[in-house]
Amino acid sequence: TDGPEGSEYGTGGYRRYRAGGTFFVEGLFGAAAVDIEGEGEAADFSQTDLIAGVEAGYLVEDWLAFKLGYAHITEQSIDLFSLGMRSQYELEPFVYYFSLDAELYAPDVGDSKFGVVPGVGAEMMLGQRLRAGLAYQHDFILADETIGINRFTARVQVRF
């Protein structure tokens, strides 16, 4: 039966059922490998640095969330601003998800550029409001040169 636990005579309901949406905040920390390929040999660049950031979102349904994010790649001084969605599948105690973001790539030196960022991840439920997991994202930055960022991050999510 549908509804919150205890809503029927007897036990009934689902243990993790939510009647409305849920807000969440997610911190992330990991490694980002930035690869830039331009014209000629001297223009090629590849470097791996630490990345840290935060995402805030709204879970509309059990399987769909919309989110805003900010991340910073340390040594290269690159800011990443994102807006996107996340589609997830819960198989207790694990959650598997796919995400798709639109992103503003803003290095301290040079012009800001637009990017598309697909990602995948897996989390473990540590309670009703707490999750921890790992994620991979690849940034396709739309520019004259080829810019790609591979991100491997550990994440902790708190729901409200």
Side-chain angles (χ1 to χ4, degrees):
T1 59
D2 290 337
E5 187 171 350
S7 65
E8 298 178 19
Y9 194 77
T11 56
Y14 294 118
R15 186 167 57 103
R16 296 194 187 276
Y17 177 81
R18 288 183 282 103
T22 301
F23 289 97
F24 66 87
V25 174
E26 186 170 74
L28 59 99
F29 183 77
V34 179
D35 297 314
I36 300 174
E37 295 178 13
E39 297 296 321
E41 289 286 323
D44 290 350
F45 172 82
S46 183
Q47 184 174 342
T48 302
D49 289 317
L50 295 177
I51 185 171
V54 64
E55 291 182 347
Y58 182 71
L59 198 63
V60 179
E61 296 286 338
D62 285 344
W63 61 275
L64 179 65
F66 295 101
K67 58 189 179 123
L68 293 168
Y70 169 77
H72 181 76
I73 300 175
T74 57
E75 293 296 318
Q76 299 176 53
S77 293
I78 298 172
D79 293 321
L80 305 169
F81 302 93
S82 63
L83 172 66
M85 58 75 63
R86 170 179 163 149
S87 178
Q88 64 187 29
Y89 176 71
E90 291 186 8
L91 190 59
E92 290 188 28
F94 299 102
V95 178
Y96 306 97
Y97 67 87
F98 167 78
S99 64
L100 185 61
D101 298 343
E103 180 177 82
L104 180 64
Y105 167 87
D108 280 354
V109 178
D111 296 330
S112 296
K113 297 169 180 60
F114 178 77
V116 177
V117 186
V120 294
E123 297 173 336
M124 183 171 195
M125 297 176 192
L126 302 176
Q128 274 190 317
R129 299 186 185 275
L130 184 64
R131 296 172 183 216
L134 299 172
Y136 168 76
Q137 291 178 292
H138 181 81
D139 299 36
F140 294 97
I141 308 299
L142 307 174
D144 292 336
E145 62 270 9
T146 302
I147 302 174
I149 304 173
N150 291 306
R151 297 190 242 173
F152 296 94
T153 55
R155 297 169 174 254
V156 176
Q157 183 184 95
V158 178
R159 294 183 172 192
F160 304 99

